[in-house]
Amino acid sequence: MNPLETRLKTLTLNSPLLTASGTSGTTDEMACLHGARGILRALGAFVTKGVTLRPRPGNPEVRVVETRAGLLNSIGLQNSGVKAFVRNELPKLHAYRLPVIVNISAGSVEEFAELTGHLTRLDQAKRIAGLEINVSCPNIAAGGAAFGADPAMVGKVVRAVRKRARRDMLTITKLSPNVTRIVEPAAAAIEAGTDALSMINTLRGTAIDIGTRRFSLGNRTGGLSGPAIKPVGLYMVGECFRALPECRDGRVPIVGIGGIAAWEDALEYIMAGATAVGVGTAWFVDPHVFVRIRDGLKRYCREHKTALAELRGCAHGRQG
Ligand SMILES: Cc1cc2nc3c(=O)[nH]c(=O)nc-3n(C[C@H](O)[C@H](O)[C@H](O)COP(=O)(O)O)c2cc1C
């Protein structure tokens, strides 16, 4: 038996490792790498970068700034729009022979619904395994505050997507950490019918270039990712696992994301309550990070005669 086998509702994965949205591109980034086949074999599923209804040019440069313990980015969801994505990029992704989960972003509930409609109806989109709903994007109709900051809006978005998505399509709601109590938007997403949760997206932050005496990012602010945010991600996964019965009993699995760079980090997320994990920033540093993490997890399971499924949430003790 494969000790790393993971179930996200209807989707059975050979590995708990997912690409974190926006960090592994959507098309040829993997394929051009030396040893790409090995890297793809270490993955359980491929999560795309954010796709929007219409093409977006993204934010002004500079878009990425390194910090001491991570990365600040303000890409601004640059992408070619859903129709071009389905026509040009999706077929290449399917060639990876991995379940494809499409990360979706929109500026209103209606736009989320329309976008989901395209990803459900278009013939070429039939093989999409799931949708990851990015609720960290700004709600234009509500003056730009992120959907994720308002549990009621999270519920509306999830309901709209669920209504349009194919029944067999996995829906994962990706939560923003820029909130006071992560359990509230998580509970709203569950109530609205999400199949799974993923957390965390980036933490809002900024940097100043003391040479130019200006903000370093063209957009002034961005999102912090990488090792610095791991304790925050772990805490939020643990909180949802502890407080939400659907997460604790596995009906609504959690994908843990944030600062994972080694197998030990991934294992911590599993022990906090995650079923699968996403890796983003670490992949910019070492494209073979997925292979290292997969091998480390396998070794741990072999040495301790266990399986990841048995370790999920164990840090909480028997009472959870
Ligand atoms: C350059 C970059 C682009 C990203 N783009 C997206 C995106 O399009 N949609 C999304 O939901 N998250 C996006 N994220 C957030 C990541 O998927 C992830 O949640 C975050 O970076 C934390 O994980 P990490 O510390 O392993 O990078 C992006 C992150 C980075 C660094």
Side-chain angles (χ1 to χ4, degrees):
M1 202 200 128
N2 171 9
L4 304 191
E5 189 176 284
T6 300
R7 288 199 64 175
L8 289 177
K9 279 275 173 136
T10 48
L11 209 57
T12 303
L13 312 176
N14 287 327
S15 156
L17 304 182
L18 275 54
T19 52
S21 172
T23 57
S24 300
T26 37
T27 50
D28 300 326
E29 283 87 347
M30 284 268 185
C32 67
L33 279 173
H34 177 67
R37 276 193 186 287
I39 297 170
L40 292 172
R41 268 202 300 273
L43 287 172
F46 189 94
V47 181
T48 72
K49 77 192 285 244
V51 173
T52 55
L53 188 57
R54 279 174 267 284
R56 282 177 61 100
N59 285 335
E61 293 180 348
V62 173
R63 293 174 171 183
V64 180
V65 171
E66 258 188 72
T67 71
R68 240 174 251 147
L71 194 71
L72 271 172
N73 90 83
S74 71
I75 307 295
L77 295 170
Q78 180 190 356
N79 80 107
S80 52
V82 66
K83 286 187 183 157
F85 166 77
V86 169
R87 194 174 52 241
N88 305 328
E89 304 185 42
L90 198 55
K92 293 182 196 169
L93 285 177
H94 285 319
Y96 291 170
R97 295 177 186 279
L98 281 169
V100 173
I101 296 171
V102 180
N103 180 281
I104 55 170
S105 286
S108 68
V109 176
E110 296 71 31
E111 205 177 296
F112 265 113
E114 201 181 333
L115 177 56
T116 307
H118 283 293
L119 292 166
T120 306
R121 275 195 320 273
L122 291 175
D123 253 5
Q124 307 99 305
K126 291 261 152 55
R127 284 166 58 199
I128 293 172
L131 300 177
E132 184 179 52
I133 311 165
N134 175 12
V135 294
S136 295
C137 43
N139 178 358
I140 306 300
F147 290 97
D150 177 353
M153 283 314 300
V154 170
K156 281 188 187 164
V157 169
V158 172
R159 239 174 245 113
V161 171
R162 205 43 282 178
K163 201 165 151 200
R164 295 285 191 101
R166 281 193 336 257
R167 286 178 75 83
D168 63 337
M169 233 176 193
L170 183 79
T171 48
I172 307 174
T173 305
K174 181 165 184 183
L175 299 177
S176 164
N178 300 312
V179 295
T180 310
R181 285 199 72 228
I182 192 73
V183 167
E184 290 174 5
I190 293 172
E191 167 77 27
T194 196
D195 295 311
L197 297 169
S198 59
M199 64 193 78
I200 54 176
N201 211 314
T202 52
L203 278 153
R204 211 173 297 126
T206 194
I208 290 170
D209 180 334
I210 57 169
T212 61
R213 303 181 179 181
R214 292 283 184 274
F215 288 98
S216 304
L217 291 165
N219 193 45
R220 287 175 175 238
T221 61
L224 182 66
S225 61
I229 74 169
K230 194 190 90 181
V232 182
L234 261 181
Y235 163 71
M236 292 189 164
V237 167
E239 275 297 283
C240 289
F241 185 85
R242 186 185 60 78
L244 300 167
E246 296 87 346
C247 294
R248 216 168 38 243
D249 66 21
R251 270 178 293 157
V252 178
I254 303 173
V255 181
I257 312 170
I260 298 175
W263 67 267
E264 292 94 333
D265 301 329
L267 200 54
E268 278 189 75
Y269 268 98
I270 304 278
M271 290 178 174
T275 295
V277 293
V279 180
T281 302
W283 143 268
F284 293 145
V285 182
D286 174 12
H288 295 278
V289 67
F290 293 110
V291 177
R292 280 198 291 108
I293 296 177
R294 191 263 327 262
D295 291 350
L297 291 175
K298 259 196 179 160
R299 209 168 40 245
Y300 180 92
C301 288
R302 197 172 52 237
E303 283 170 13
H304 293 82
K305 297 191 174 39
T306 185
L308 291 188
E310 290 172 21
L311 297 169
R312 184 172 58 86
C314 66
H316 298 265
R318 274 206 292 167
Q319 300 308 312

